[in-house]
Amino acid sequence: MKKVLLAPLDPVHDIGLKIIARGLEEAGYETLLLPPDLTEEEIIDNALRENTATLLLSRTLGYGVAEILARFVDLADAAGIRAKVKLGIGGMAIRPELAAELGFDAGFGPGTTVEEVVCFIEGREYRPDPTRCAKTKPDMTAGYGYGYRHAGIAARLDRISAQIMDWVKDKSSPGVERARLRDELWNAAEWRARRGDGELYRHYPALCGDIPRKYYASGELHPKTRRFTKTEVEGLEKYLADTKARMSVRKLQHSRRKPLVFVQYGTGCPFMDIGHILASEAWGADGVVHFDPSWGARTEGFLDGFLTHQEDGTVITPANFNRIKGALEDSTLWQVRAHRGLNTPETAVLAGKMGADLTKINFCYGALGAGTDPARMVVDGYHTILYAKKYNLPFDVVTNEELCGVPAHKAFAGMLIVADLAVRLGGRPILQPLFAYSPEVMVGGLMADNYVDFNTAKIKALRGIIDAPLWPGAPIGFLTHTEDRVQSAMATALHACLASSLEVDAISIASTDEAYSGGPISAPSRIDTLRAVQEGFRFFGQAGINPTSEADRYADELVAGIEKVLDEVAARGDFVAAVHEGLLGSRAEGAYPGRSGKDTVTIVKK
């Protein structure tokens, strides 16, 4: 039996060596663990006396550590054991490069496994088990039946959905027609095989606004976009190949199965997006969300080509989607937002054809907080739900109108209207309440004592209404972050731990510089937040966070408010008019019916 000598080259710390020693014994090795605070000479004397073939040392941080370790190697050499004894060094600050520089045969940093050490002892190449950190792509809607637990709200939603379906049945829009063309005339497989776009662009430009129409007529691009050069494309492909060859992914959730953790990308440059996505995947993100530019949402039609954009928001084109999709890990959920503008239905079609896993739809938010005309948004949203069903895309129903100042109960009423309509049409909605320090909260003092009760109340209220998946966002902790990266990471992590304690299905998190970056978000700031969330999950494990009794009171008030709003909308009998009249968020509350796409709804001739 091979004997392994382990010695802490440290006055106190030896926990890492104890763990490794136990693992080696279980693997069949005879080990001898020396006590702390021995001199270098005493350790070498023990190695000579025990005639060991392997000596494993550990050392924590400290002044002069490099000199101490280098001196140890010199003493081992002088004692005549260096040539016949394998020397390994481990510790929090140790990396293989440092160990090699100091003359050791191997260095072991944090996260070292017993298997790794065994390979070193036996002179075998260490090959990490690829299944050890393997992640799978889950269906967030699995196990939810969308049954109502609140009969009164179910009855109100039934009336409103019927009104919407009756109103929209004979209506269309340029956005719906472009989506129909993309659905019927464009084949992603043929396009990927470089066999063209079919008949799509014979008809498509006539349904577009000025920017895409100019592009299809003369090749003129939006002034803040350009095509990637051949050299840039070759650089991207080399970067991807090099990075994928050493890529591994982490799991953030520790002992729990959820929540899944999503991050948003949209630097404007798909090359940079891919770098951010890979960094996020490597540090544990389970999903990524595509963020497009605001002008794109107010433009009828998409451009084409592999394009970079000089401001925030990555332009939606088949080529951009194709490059991003091709860079994703198999386990990563990919969401493409389709919730706010004039390309909503076509976005869902294109996302579905390019292999997205999720989309985002909320015609209430799109009409009240994102600038799109309510009538146009309802028509387009209705058809987007149908395409989401066709392409098997579950979608979240975001309540970002809260950030404008709309009270949560009104935003939730709108979210439930969209979700109810979706279920009736065969869709699979995911409710997305905000975990945010919203204007309503600030003015009303709803989080004067803590951030726990009101956020918990949102989850309690929604769970008391319907059996549906929940995905707080977006991002969690919005408006609790400051320009201090440590504070922002901590605020996100605390909200993530609350979400975990409430056993929601997913969360969206910000990077630590997202609210205050003043420019492109940096990859280190993404990693800050992911690491903070991971540590938060590790800290709580299966333990939880207990809200006060205020959470129940807030939940009851939310449900009562939702009932009142739904009563008013149902009584109005015209959903679009209800939006214009402020029943789901008024101008005084910061919600303004949008004007983009006004008067573009058409009646379908039978």
Side-chain angles (χ1 to χ4, degrees), residues 204-361:
Y204 189 85
L207 294 167
C208 291
D210 286 345
I211 294 173
R213 194 180 300 132
K214 285 180 182 175
Y215 169 75
Y216 292 111
S218 65
E220 179 181 343
L221 287 169
H222 183 278
K224 294 184 178 179
T225 64
R226 67 169 176 84
R227 291 184 183 277
F228 280 95
T229 66
K230 181 181 178 184
T231 302
E232 289 170 333
V233 173
E234 290 171 349
L236 171 60
E237 290 172 348
K238 182 177 187 307
Y239 165 75
L240 259 179
D242 291 346
T243 306
K244 288 287 187 181
R246 52 189 168 83
M247 184 85 178
S248 62
V249 296
R250 295 186 177 197
K251 178 177 178 289
L252 294 178
Q253 290 79 5
H254 188 51
S255 59
R256 289 181 184 254
R257 195 169 51 84
K258 53 187 183 182
L260 302 173
V261 178
F262 285 75
V263 299
Q264 182 171 280
Y265 69 86
T267 63
C269 172
F271 195 152
M272 193 180 297
D273 286 340
I274 287 169
H276 280 237
I277 288 169
L278 295 180
S280 299
E281 289 173 325
W283 288 93
D286 302 294
V288 294
V289 182
H290 185 94
F291 182 89
D292 55 316
S294 57
W295 61 263
R298 291 174 170 77
T299 301
E300 297 271 17
F302 291 136
L303 300 173
D304 200 3
F306 188 29
L307 306 179
T308 183
H309 177 228
Q310 70 182 59
E311 294 180 346
D312 282 357
T314 300
V315 178
I316 293 177
T317 70
N320 282 5
F321 274 2
N322 191 54
R323 291 283 179 177
I324 291 166
K325 169 65 178 175
L328 297 173
E329 289 288 302
D330 291 342
S331 61
T332 299
L333 288 161
W334 182 34
Q335 184 189 42
V336 175
R337 311 186 320 164
H339 65 305
R340 59 176 179 156
L342 302 180
N343 298 306
T344 293
E346 190 185 355
T347 302
V349 174
L350 187 56
K353 285 179 180 272
M354 300 307 289
D357 302 290
L358 298 151
T359 186
K360 181 188 291 283
I361 304 170

Side-chain angles (χ1 to χ4, degrees), residues 80-108:
I81 66 169
R82 182 66 191 88
K84 56 184 180 183
V85 177
K86 286 185 175 180
L87 290 181
I89 177 70
M92 291 297 290
I94 301 299
R95 298 293 182 273
E97 299 82 4
L98 175 63
E101 184 180 332
L102 295 173
F104 286 83
D105 297 310
F108 302 101

Side-chain angles (χ1 to χ4, degrees), residues 5 41 43-52 79-81 84-85:
L5 187 66
E41 290 81 359
I43 293 172
I44 289 172
D45 284 344
N46 274 280
L48 287 167
R49 186 165 52 251
E50 298 295 335
N51 193 28
T52 183
I81 66 169
K84 56 184 180 183
V85 177

Side-chain angles (χ1 to χ4, degrees), residues 126-192:
Y126 174 60
R127 296 177 183 274
D129 179 0
T131 65
R132 190 180 62 191
C133 295
K135 296 168 72 172
T136 57
K137 187 182 288 186
D139 175 3
M140 291 171 59
T141 64
Y144 291 98
Y146 296 100
Y148 282 100
R149 299 181 176 119
H150 191 300
I153 286 180
R156 293 171 174 89
L157 290 170
D158 183 64
R159 287 181 60 192
I160 296 168
S161 289
Q163 292 168 5
I164 293 173
M165 294 171 72
D166 184 61
W167 181 83
V168 81
K169 65 184 179 185
D170 62 346
K171 295 180 175 64
S172 185
S173 76
V176 172
E177 292 307 309
R178 286 194 304 277
R180 182 181 60 77
L181 291 177
R182 179 75 67 179
D183 178 51
E184 295 177 357
L185 302 180
W186 191 79
N187 185 300
E190 292 290 307
W191 176 82
R192 284 190 171 113

